[in-house]
Amino acid sequence: MAFLWSHCSHIVHKFPATDDLRVFTVVARKSSFADAAVELGVSPAYVSKRIRLLEEDLAVKLLHRTTRRVAVTEEGERVFHWAQRILDDVDQLMQEVAVTRREPRGLLRVSCSFGFGRRVLAPALSSLVERHPALQVRLEVFDRLVDVAGEGFDLDVRVGDEIAPHLIARRLGSNHRVLCAAPAYLARQGVPRTVADLSAHDCLVIKERDRPFGVWRLRSGSVEHTVKVRGPLSANNGEMAVQWAEDGRGIVLRSLWDVGDELESGRLVRVLPEWQQEANIWAVYPTRLDRSAKVRVCVEFLEEYVAQAVRGGGGRPDAGDRAPA
């Protein structure tokens, strides 16, 4: 804060507009005026104007401009980190007032993986904004692990228990991945009897956000076994792999929420049913948003929704909080 104040105090103590700081943080993250304009829903000319006015207010050069990209200057890096803190404080101020505490409002940026994002999270968020019309949600899906704070997200909904200790994680539901295949495949290739047998089978490998490719870590009670698998087909989309499994192309390792219907109908059957992979569902967010009303309301809503989606309308899962270490 002192840095920004020292640069603008000579301009009749004119403090930069929060809207300009917000535009700058998006440009810095995207390294592009055009991409920032798309995210903000404005024109590139508007973005350029706000950056120019911010540089005039602070009397510093924030960005190096080229024909294709923009790069943040050294002073721009300092402004970026302060701007994030200022904007977080402003957002928190808005949410601390009584009416906002009861009715969350503003933009909530959420990230997730492709499969869970489409099948569970997207309809959940649709119901959320119906219940809270003053809330705006922007959902983005990725096949990689997201840096929640660094990429400007308020919340990441992820499947899997490997979570950095500096983030806050609230468990939305219990879940595990199971091995399954079509009856036709097992009739043709035989049924694996041990985990080690999987290395000799056609396995449908999915590129997970937080898992090494083609390595399956499975657990049976207190025993854990890791096996390297391979097969003729692989993808970064779980729905494709499930379809291949139904076609009899191999064995797939997939969450129960994703293959429940196929198992119930008999299109797929469990393989090595005593073995599974823990893959609980978590809401992950930065510590700076621990008191955010919109994050709190969203997480509480998702706890209820995910419990029904994952457990087929059963009881509320054993949700838990994990504070940063």
Side-chain angles (χ1 to χ4, degrees), residues 99-177:
V99 65
T100 308
R101 193 179 301 121
R102 290 192 301 268
E103 181 57 35
R105 62 183 65 244
L107 177 64
L108 183 71
R109 295 193 67 214
V110 183
S111 59
C112 191
S113 58
F114 284 115
F116 195 81
R118 188 190 74 80
R119 294 198 49 178
V120 179
L121 188 56
L125 295 177
S126 176
S127 298
L128 175 67
V129 296
E130 181 178 15
R131 181 179 297 185
H132 301 285
L135 191 63
Q136 300 172 342
V137 178
R138 177 175 296 156
L139 172 63
E140 297 186 43
V141 293
F142 301 91
D143 62 355
R144 60 175 175 81
L145 200 59
V146 171
D147 179 359
V148 187
E151 296 185 54
F153 288 99
D154 302 304
L155 185 68
D156 181 43
V157 178
R158 63 181 64 170
V159 179
D161 294 358
E162 296 181 9
I163 301 169
H166 68 279
L167 298 169
I168 296 176
R170 187 178 180 101
R171 194 167 69 188
L172 300 178
S174 299
N175 176 61
H176 56 268
R177 298 184 178 109

Side-chain angles (χ1 to χ4, degrees), residues 10-87:
H10 68 284
I11 313 176
V12 198
H13 301 293
K14 182 181 179 183
F15 197 83
T18 55
D19 284 348
D20 292 350
L21 293 175
R22 200 176 300 277
V23 169
F24 169 64
T25 60
V26 177
V27 172
R29 279 194 292 104
K30 294 291 187 179
S31 299
S32 165
F33 279 55
D35 291 346
V38 171
E39 177 168 321
L40 293 166
V42 298
S43 68
Y46 174 85
V47 172
S48 181
K49 178 182 178 182
R50 301 325 302 180
I51 295 297
R52 176 175 55 79
L53 291 175
L54 181 60
E55 288 180 326
E56 291 176 359
D57 287 344
L58 296 177
V60 295
K61 186 177 181 61
L62 300 173
L63 301 165
H64 293 302
R65 298 163 175 81
T66 67
T67 55
R68 293 187 177 181
R69 307 287 287 175
V70 295
V72 180
T73 65
E74 183 177 349
E75 287 184 312
E77 287 281 358
R78 296 171 65 191
V79 173
F80 175 75
H81 292 299
W82 275 109
Q84 284 187 308
R85 295 175 61 179
I86 292 168
L87 294 171

Side-chain angles (χ1 to χ4, degrees), residues 6 113 151 171 198 218 222 232 265 286 308 323 325:
S6 66
S113 58
E151 296 185 54
R171 194 167 69 188
L198 292 172
L218 303 169
S222 61
S265 67
Q308 295 179 4

Side-chain angles (χ1 to χ4, degrees), residues 88-89 91-92 95-96 108 148-149 153-155 166-170 283-300 321-324:
D88 288 341
D89 287 343
D91 290 342
Q92 189 63 43
Q95 296 185 53
E96 284 295 323
L108 183 71
V148 187
F153 288 99
D154 302 304
L155 185 68
H166 68 279
L167 298 169
I168 296 176
R170 187 178 180 101
V284 180
Y285 49 96
T287 54
R288 60 182 171 80
L289 295 178
D290 188 26
R291 298 181 60 195
S292 168
K294 59 186 179 182
V295 170
R296 173 181 54 79
V297 167
C298 182
V299 170
E300 290 175 354
D321 294 334
R322 264 208 356 223

